[in-house]
Amino acid sequence: MSSERRFSFGQRVAVAMVPRLTALILTLIGLTLRFEVIAEEGAVPATPPAKGIFCFWHRCTLPCGWYFRKFRCSILISQSFDGELITRTLGLLGYNAVRGSSSRGGASGLLALRAVLVKGDPVVFTADGPRGPIYQTKIGPVKLAQMTGEEMGCFYLLPQRAWIMRSWDEFLIPKPFSRVAVSWARAVPAPGAGDSPEMLEAKRQELNHALERARARAEAHFSR
């Protein structure tokens, strides 16, 4: 209730209705999707129950939200109104939300995610979200890996048939009965506890390359 007081009447109505409707639509579509797991050499696709840090690009949030619901993941979500809608929608699918962002509340968000990892549960990052630019990972996953020593799993989900939104991330909405490639790249090891900012940046770039390899493999999977 405390979060809702920040919102206008129209926003409170949306918070009450949109997550339920979105979760229902995603469930109806998700039940028709056919997932095909692929992986580059040396990559190990995760299966539930899993633990650790996992990263993906923001545009494939919807297929990821359905596919990984059984993993019982925690995800860092912004404290904005849009974040409230996402939090409630994902909560209906079995996810736990940690509220924060890279610009406001980010440090507390990472500490909360560390507590989740200490319990042995998985956490996930939309690596380029919530505002992009597209296909450019933020430093948050790298800092969390440094704090915990956990490696960073990298994946990308691509529907063969999807509606593509006119948004910064070209957001994907899978079409019913579509095949979906679940593409895994090799996990990225955590940086050292005493690594310099320059070394953390190099690790961020390594994570970015891994995510892009997963995306390229998914796109090649449907272009054959």
Side-chain angles (χ1 to χ4, degrees), residues 171-222:
F171 196 76
L172 296 169
I173 301 177
K175 293 184 178 181
F177 302 99
S178 176
R179 297 163 60 201
V180 181
V182 183
S183 176
W184 290 87
R186 291 184 297 276
V188 176
D195 280 1
S196 67
E198 292 77 16
M199 297 170 74
L200 292 182
E201 171 58 19
K203 186 62 68 171
R204 186 197 68 79
Q205 293 180 18
E206 183 181 351
L207 174 62
N208 213 97
H209 293 327
L211 287 166
E212 282 293 82
R213 291 199 311 273
R215 181 169 72 96
R217 184 171 289 270
E219 291 173 349
H221 183 67
F222 289 133

Side-chain angles (χ1 to χ4, degrees), residues 77-78 82-92 95 97 99:
I77 300 175
S78 74
D82 287 346
E84 187 71 19
L85 294 177
I86 295 170
T87 294
R88 293 183 181 229
T89 301
L90 291 180
L92 294 171
Y95 290 82
R99 305 304 296 272

Side-chain angles (χ1 to χ4, degrees), residues 119-170:
K119 291 192 301 181
D121 295 329
V123 303
V124 291
F125 276 91
T126 51
D128 55 346
R131 297 183 180 88
I134 191 171
Y135 307 142
Q136 292 296 317
T137 186
K138 302 296 190 290
I139 197 66
V142 176
K143 287 185 175 179
L144 182 62
Q146 184 183 41
M147 293 165 61
T148 61
E150 294 280 358
E151 65 181 16
M152 294 169 279
C154 304
F155 61 88
Y156 184 82
L157 267 66
L158 179 66
Q160 185 180 30
R161 299 184 303 111
W163 292 286
I164 302 177
M165 305 298 290
R166 293 181 179 178
S167 56
W168 68 265
D169 59 349
E170 300 178 351

Side-chain angles (χ1 to χ4, degrees), residues 6-126:
R6 303 194 311 266
F7 303 141
S8 68
F9 174 76
Q11 288 176 324
R12 291 198 299 272
V13 171
V15 163
M17 298 179 60
V18 171
R20 292 183 176 88
L21 180 60
T22 304
L24 175 61
I25 293 172
L26 182 56
T27 298
L28 293 175
I29 294 176
L31 289 171
T32 73
L33 300 177
R34 294 168 292 158
F35 295 94
E36 302 171 7
V37 179
I38 59 176
E40 68 180 9
E41 184 177 358
V44 180
T47 56
K51 67 173 187 175
I53 302 168
F54 298 93
C55 302
F56 63 98
W57 292 138
H58 194 275
R59 73 186 307 240
C60 56
T61 296
L62 282 187
C64 287
W66 179 254
Y67 183 79
F68 287 95
R69 69 195 187 282
K70 295 180 181 179
F71 284 66
R72 299 295 175 180
C73 300
S74 294
I75 185 168
L76 184 65
I77 300 175
S78 74
Q79 297 170 335
S80 65
F81 169 66
D82 287 346
E84 187 71 19
L85 294 177
I86 295 170
T87 294
R88 293 183 181 229
T89 301
L90 291 180
L92 294 171
L93 296 174
Y95 290 82
N96 299 308
V98 172
R99 305 304 296 272
S101 70
S102 58
S103 58
R104 194 183 312 174
S108 61
L110 290 180
L111 289 173
L113 289 178
R114 182 176 68 176
V116 172
L117 290 169
V118 168
K119 291 192 301 181
D121 295 329
V123 303
V124 291
F125 276 91
T126 51

